[in-house]
Amino acid sequence: MEVVILGGSRQIGKLAADAIEDLLRRKPNAVLGLATGSSPLPVYDQLAERCGQGLDFSQASGFALDEYVGLPAGHPESYREVIRREFTSRVNIAPDNVHGPDGSAGDIPATCQAYEEAISAAGGVDLQLLGVGTDGHLAFNEPGSSFASRTRIKSLIEQTRRDNARFFNSLAEVPHHVLTQGLGTIMEARHVILLATGAQKAQAVRDFVEGPVSAICPASLLQFHPHATVLVDEAAASALKLADFYRHTYDNKPAWQGL
Ligand code: GLP
């Protein structure tokens, strides 16, 4: 796991966008793993700007991590809509190439299975953006999620509902159920870039980067990922024991290595 401590979300957005730009130049039909929440927004801003300057998404495809169950189609806070609004409508990716789990499907197990198959048929995710919940969740894999899990329905912990209530008019409007790629699904992405900013993430970052690998902190599974990059600001890094070592390592990293 590589930990990079940066000055703020703008620098984080630029570095993550650099990795996506490198990938698209090497592999124009790359498969991008798309995250919601506020953490990836600076990355999407950067990518929209770079698309305006010629970065080409026309052959790329995207898969969302997760979705609420029970929000009506087109609800502004459904993740399908958030991803369209914040990212895919701002770049030249083909709308048909952007996928998300269908939270309004009648047959939930079948739609989850079909989603797994669609990811495989696209060749798997090349680069997965991730945030982390204050409870250490990844996508909507709450504490206790199986490390082998695949796309499925989950119940949200109250802390997550409260954290996400800021996007809704009231806590009561936040759904209790979600569909989410499993931890096993996420671990198959070839490169994962997790973004975390702000003091409210400091404990979760400390737990998943330096704590034991444990289902109580789902993001800690990334310690087993062969290519995981963690981009944090100073506040989110403030509880890390080895912060100076991560800084030193990144400052002295050979430029050819990239992320
Ligand atoms: C939600 C999403 C996660 C995201 C998390 C953190 O629960 N399902 O994918 O990582 O929020 O969001 P934020 O980046 O807004 O802190």
Side-chain angles (χ1 to χ4, degrees):
M1 191 183 277
E2 176 178 32
V3 181
V4 184
I5 303 171
L6 294 159
S9 46
R10 197 175 148 72
Q11 290 95 318
I12 291 175
K14 281 184 69 154
L15 198 58
D18 286 348
I20 294 172
E21 179 166 351
D22 283 353
L23 170 66
L24 285 170
R25 295 201 188 282
R26 263 184 288 123
K27 185 177 181 186
N29 63 346
V31 179
L32 305 176
L34 306 174
T36 49
S38 36
S39 307
L41 297 180
V43 188
Y44 297 148
D45 289 344
Q46 275 289 321
L47 292 175
E49 200 177 309
R50 293 177 194 203
C51 181
Q53 294 159 359
L55 182 61
D56 184 22
F57 291 80
S58 62
Q59 296 177 59
S61 53
F63 285 87
L65 277 173
D66 47 9
E67 181 57 284
Y68 291 110
V69 168
L71 293 184
H75 187 289
E77 292 311 324
S78 76
Y79 282 173
R80 184 170 297 217
E81 190 53 26
V82 171
I83 286 199
R84 191 199 62 72
R85 184 171 66 235
E86 301 293 351
F87 179 49
T88 55
S89 67
R90 301 166 70 201
V91 297
N92 67 331
I93 195 166
D96 285 352
N97 288 351
V98 183
H99 312 273
D102 181 0
S104 60
D107 186 340
I108 296 280
T111 206
C112 292
Q113 175 68 26
Y115 197 59
E116 288 281 334
E117 286 164 9
I119 296 172
S120 299
V125 172
D126 290 300
L127 191 156
Q128 177 67 59
L129 290 175
L130 292 169
V132 64
T134 55
D135 62 356
H137 73 233
L138 268 194
F140 271 138
N141 294 281
E142 295 284 27
S145 292
S146 162
F147 285 172
S149 51
R150 314 300 305 189
T151 304
R152 69 215 183 290
I153 191 167
K154 290 290 286 178
S155 295
L156 292 182
I157 280 181
E158 272 312 290
Q159 184 177 333
T160 301
R161 292 187 65 248
R162 279 197 303 275
D163 286 348
N164 289 1
R166 68 189 192 281
F167 296 113
F168 293 82
N169 293 321
S170 69
L171 177 60
E173 281 182 25
V174 184
H176 288 267
H177 289 104
V178 292
L179 303 186
T180 181
Q181 285 189 31
L183 294 171
T185 319
I186 293 167
M187 286 293 280
E188 286 173 7
R190 287 181 268 277
H191 182 195
V192 301
I193 300 184
L194 187 149
L195 318 148
T197 53
Q200 74 283 3
K201 296 288 173 71
Q203 189 59 45
V205 168
R206 161 79 187 267
D207 288 347
F208 87 80
V209 173
E210 296 179 337
V213 175
S214 161
I216 196 71
C217 180
S220 65
L221 178 59
L222 295 180
Q223 292 179 33
F224 281 124
H225 195 286
H227 192 183
T229 306
V230 178
L231 306 182
V232 284
D233 68 358
E234 293 287 346
S238 59
L240 288 171
K241 258 201 231 165
L242 298 182
D244 286 343
F245 172 61
Y246 307 137
R247 282 194 192 91
H248 173 82
T249 305
Y250 187 68
D251 288 348
N252 293 286
K253 187 177 177 177
W256 55 262
Q257 265 189 321
L259 276 187

